[in-house]
Amino acid sequence: MKFSTFRRHLREGFKNIFRNGWMTVASIGAVTTTLILVGVFLALVLNLNEMAVNIESDVEINTMIDLTATEEEIITIGDEIEQISGVDSVSFSSNDDELAKLVDSMGEEGESWRLFEQDNPLNHVYIVRAQVPEDTERIANEIETLSGVESVVFGQDVVEQLFEFNKYARTIGLVLIIALVFTAIFLISNTIKITIMARSTEIGIQKLVGATNGFIRWPFFIEGLLLGILGSIIPVAVILGGYYYLDKNFSGNISFSFVEILPFSPFAWQLSLMILIIGAVIGVWGSVMSVRKFLKV
Amino acid sequence: MILMNDIYKTYANGVTALNGVNVDIKQGEFVYIVGPSGAGKSTFIKLIFREVKPTNGKIVVGDMDLSKIKERKVPYLRRNIGVVYQDFKLLPKLSVYENIAFALEVIEEPPKNIRNRVMEVLEQVGLKNKARFLPNELSGGEQQRVSIARAIVNKAKIVIADEPTGNLDPETSWEIMKVFEEINASGTTIIMATHSKEIVNTIKKRVIAIEDGLIVRDEHRGDYGYEI
Ligand SMILES: Nc1ncnc2c1ncn2[C@@H]1O[C@H](COP(=O)(O)OP(=O)(O)OP(=O)(O)O)[C@@H](O)[C@H]1O
Ligand SMILES: [Mg+2]
């Protein structure tokens, strides 16, 4: 396309935006509402997902060793665990270590446990990590079959619940967002349809003197693109502002390590870019829908 | 130049407008299309620039076979054909100059050529001093000159006119006809549907008479042949 032609399309596209007044405002408003919801939802789901992944990768298998096991047997068990495929690390924690941990974690009440220091009732433990979280369960099962192992314990339930919750959140959010996106597309395509109606004489003459459909389509395409991009300005501001606030006030403040949110940079920027792109796609889609039908002659 | 072979046209509502038309128009000819109202004159004319598609039959315009031409080639067909209507079809918010330049802009003519070419055709139709006027500041005859200028600005080889003098008084009609004759004299084919007995019988040209979708008469230097 020639530059002069492109400039013409751009000018016409902008003109259309202003000409349509309230319809323009309405469709930009629809895009804005949609994108804010999409943005908040994406921030939520992506963060939850990240948390679930973090927890999952945090999952350790605690291998309780029989109280009767000899030192040699304990070493053998350690070697055997290391032989299992997919095992990342194996570390030994004696019953004294375990008791210390227990006492620590219970604070005041823990003091009473000190009574057991002389006659420790706890097991020696191997703490095992899988290379990939998905293998945790299989490895745990294999360890359980080794002789000298009393039992294995790992926090599979928490992870599964989080993923389950996330799955529901995603499905519901997706349905909601798709409905909103289509509403926005519908509004944009109607706005552009109004332009097209208003300009039908002009389009008729354009066709009469031999303008190609592509040429006629461009200004409407640009109008749609502009509506989408204008509609994404406020959502991007909300995301950047809101996320910056959260990141600043939330991150250091929380005692559970896994509830850390994704860092502002690059996450908020990536999300903003995504919102902008979704806005542009909504706009272009809306314009394509309304123009396609019209040019079919 | 323009060849129609056994053309039929039935509209979607079942009305048959053309019923087996054969015609051969050579480059540089001036042809009147006459006939009663509803005979199929406008349909005949619209076939030439693919405003309507024939139900059956073959049309060749220049080197394009319209029965085979792809949809996306239609704009390029139209760049060889200028169209003039009874109601001018000017854009009311654009000046005379802009209305004509428009036709070149939308076919992506380089901007530096546009100005010269527009002034050239304005001179040709005698409106050079009204380039900045808006259409509603012009008389009917002047508006029709603008639409003729727009039709020829891209050097179309064929100009098609559907009752171009239908909205004009006799005096003005003669002036417009003079413009058409000049355009024809420079080698442009002109095909004009008209109800004006006066014009057809005075400025003698080839006359094709259509009745009930059939060509009933085709004469060189013919008469209008109907009483009004
Ligand atoms: N778009 C259309 N859809 C359906 N029928 C049509 C259409 N255009 C024309 N017709 C019908 O086709 C027939 C021929 O119409 P056409 O316009 O070609 O006549 P015409 O000779 O130009 O008449 P006039 O002198 O009044 O302009 C008429 O019966 C008309 O009603
Ligand atoms: Mg007619």
Side-chain angles (χ1 to χ4, degrees):
Chain A
M1 194 188 330
K2 290 190 190 114
F3 181 67
S4 59
T5 309
F6 184 70
R7 223 173 36 195
R8 181 195 161 90
H9 292 323
L10 215 57
R11 195 176 59 226
E12 294 296 315
F14 269 102
K15 253 198 245 168
N16 292 347
I17 291 247
F18 287 106
R19 206 185 309 230
N20 282 336
W22 286 110
M23 268 314 276
T24 294
V25 174
S27 44
I28 290 178
V31 178
T32 301
T33 317
T34 306
L35 291 182
I36 287 179
L37 284 168
V38 172
V40 168
F41 170 75
L42 280 178
L44 193 74
V45 166
L46 291 173
N47 269 298
L48 281 177
N49 215 44
E50 174 74 12
M51 283 174 203
V53 169
N54 278 344
I55 297 175
E56 188 168 51
S57 62
D58 254 11
V59 171
E60 304 166 334
I61 303 164
N62 285 328
T63 308
M64 314 293 181
I65 298 162
D66 271 342
L67 293 168
T68 57
T70 64
E71 205 152 308
E72 255 164 54
E73 280 171 331
I74 292 173
I75 292 170
T76 315
I77 291 170
D79 290 344
E80 280 170 341
I81 293 174
E82 267 173 5
Q83 300 297 313
I84 295 173
S85 71
V87 169
D88 183 42
S89 67
V90 182
S91 62
F92 181 73
S93 169
S94 70
N95 56 357
D96 290 340
D97 297 339
E98 290 293 301
L99 186 60
K101 270 196 242 170
L102 191 63
V103 170
D104 266 2
S105 70
M106 303 205 46
E108 294 276 292
E109 286 171 57
E111 292 303 315
S112 55
W113 285 82
R114 284 191 190 283
L115 298 175
F116 290 105
E117 262 167 19
Q118 298 313 310
D119 188 14
N120 192 332
L122 296 177
N123 302 65
H124 295 304
V125 169
Y126 273 116
I127 298 165
V128 182
R129 283 175 176 278
Q131 280 162 356
V132 285
E134 287 76 24
D135 283 346
T136 306
E137 192 169 359
R138 176 182 58 77
I139 292 170
N141 291 338
E142 279 186 44
I143 293 174
E144 204 161 17
T145 63
L146 298 174
S147 72
V149 171
E150 190 186 284
S151 62
V152 294
V153 176
F154 65 103
Q156 148 199 44
D157 286 359
V158 189
V159 176
E160 269 175 10
Q161 273 170 16
L162 231 133
F163 272 114
E164 191 76 357
F165 172 76
N166 222 5
K167 213 168 67 190
Y168 282 119
R170 222 175 322 191
T171 313
I172 293 168
L174 218 61
V175 170
L176 191 78
I177 282 177
I178 287 173
L180 278 166
V181 164
F182 275 101
T183 312
I185 289 176
F186 175 76
L187 266 165
I188 287 191
S189 86
N190 267 341
T191 308
I192 292 173
K193 221 175 272 168
I194 290 176
T195 321
I196 293 178
M197 302 290 198
R199 313 195 91 174
S200 62
T201 330
E202 188 176 337
I203 294 173
I205 295 171
Q206 287 186 350
K207 298 193 91 170
L208 205 63
V209 297
T212 59
N213 281 351
F215 183 94
I216 296 170
R217 220 176 272 138
W218 262 98
F220 300 109
F221 177 79
I222 287 175
E223 180 182 358
L225 188 67
L226 282 173
L227 289 174
I229 290 174
L230 288 175
S232 65
I233 290 176
I234 295 176
V236 164
V238 166
I239 284 165
L240 289 178
Y243 207 83
Y244 181 75
Y245 176 83
L246 277 182
D247 191 36
K248 233 174 104 187
N249 292 285
F250 228 118
S251 283
N253 233 344
I254 296 252
S255 38
F256 312 96
S257 66
F258 62 83
V259 194
E260 219 158 274
I261 62 172
L262 291 156
F264 179 83
S265 184
F267 177 70
W269 296 111
Q270 288 165 344
L271 190 58
S272 298
L273 185 68
M274 194 141 68
I275 292 298
L276 188 73
I277 290 170
I278 295 174
V281 168
I282 289 176
V284 168
W285 194 343
S287 78
V288 167
M289 280 209 338
S290 57
V291 178
R292 193 189 48 196
K293 222 187 278 165
F294 192 83
L295 287 179
K296 221 184 272 167
V297 178
Chain B
M1 179 97 243
I2 297 170
L3 207 99
M4 291 196 194
N5 208 333
D6 228 11
I7 289 291
Y8 289 81
K9 175 63 191 178
T10 302
Y11 282 107
N13 60 3
V15 175
T16 297
L18 292 178
N19 223 333
V21 166
N22 291 286
V23 84
D24 182 2
I25 297 170
K26 299 270 185 293
Q27 174 68 48
E29 276 196 276
F30 194 133
V31 183
Y32 293 120
I33 311 294
V34 301
S37 189
K41 303 184 293 297
S42 295
T43 303
F44 177 89
I45 272 183
K46 286 175 181 163
L47 283 168
I48 298 169
F49 62 100
R50 208 19 146 68
E51 176 91 11
V52 304
K53 279 192 234 178
T55 316
N56 226 322
K58 181 172 162 156
I59 308 178
V60 179
V61 175
D63 53 5
M64 294 198 198
D65 183 343
L66 300 205
S67 29
K68 290 189 187 135
I69 183 178
K70 294 219 172 65
E71 215 48 58
R72 62 188 166 78
K73 292 281 179 203
V74 171
Y76 302 96
L77 163 76
R78 294 188 180 160
R79 290 175 192 193
N80 297 315
I81 303 172
V83 185
V84 175
Y85 279 102
Q86 181 172 359
D87 58 0
F88 322 135
K89 295 209 191 298
L90 301 177
L91 291 168
K93 285 184 187 155
L94 300 187
S95 71
V96 167
Y97 176 90
E98 289 166 336
N99 261 288
I100 299 166
F102 181 84
L104 292 177
E105 282 167 14
V106 301
I107 61 170
E108 301 184 57
E109 188 73 19
K112 61 176 163 41
N113 303 349
I114 291 181
R115 184 164 179 85
N116 285 340
R117 180 62 190 148
V118 173
M119 291 320 280
E120 212 173 280
V121 289
L122 274 175
E123 170 108 71
Q124 205 175 336
V125 299
L127 281 178
K128 209 174 176 183
N129 54 343
K130 301 210 163 152
R132 289 163 171 278
F133 284 46
L134 289 176
N136 64 10
E137 295 168 336
L138 302 178
S139 72
E142 286 169 332
Q143 289 185 49
Q144 192 57 295
R145 283 163 193 267
V146 177
S147 96
I148 294 170
R150 186 183 60 199
I152 60 172
V153 74
N154 63 1
K155 307 197 166 139
K157 295 188 196 71
I158 304 167
V159 169
I160 287 173
D162 198 351
E163 301 185 42
T165 60
N167 280 355
L168 306 175
D169 59 59
E171 185 73 23
T172 316
S173 298
W174 290 117
E175 286 167 15
I176 291 298
M177 286 310 295
K178 221 155 72 197
V179 176
F180 277 117
E181 280 198 275
E182 281 163 20
I183 294 167
N184 179 235
S186 67
T188 306
T189 309
I190 298 204
I191 298 162
M192 181 186 297
T194 183
H195 283 291
S196 170
K197 182 182 181 183
E198 287 262 282
I199 288 174
V200 176
N201 288 347
T202 311
I203 306 173
K204 290 274 186 171
K205 303 288 180 189
R206 178 177 174 186
V207 175
I208 294 175
I210 299 180
E211 286 176 32
D212 288 332
L214 279 170
I215 294 187
V216 292
R217 184 157 57 89
D218 185 350
E219 308 172 316
H220 277 278
R221 301 183 59 75
D223 278 322
Y224 183 68
Y226 300 96
E227 293 310 316
I228 300 167

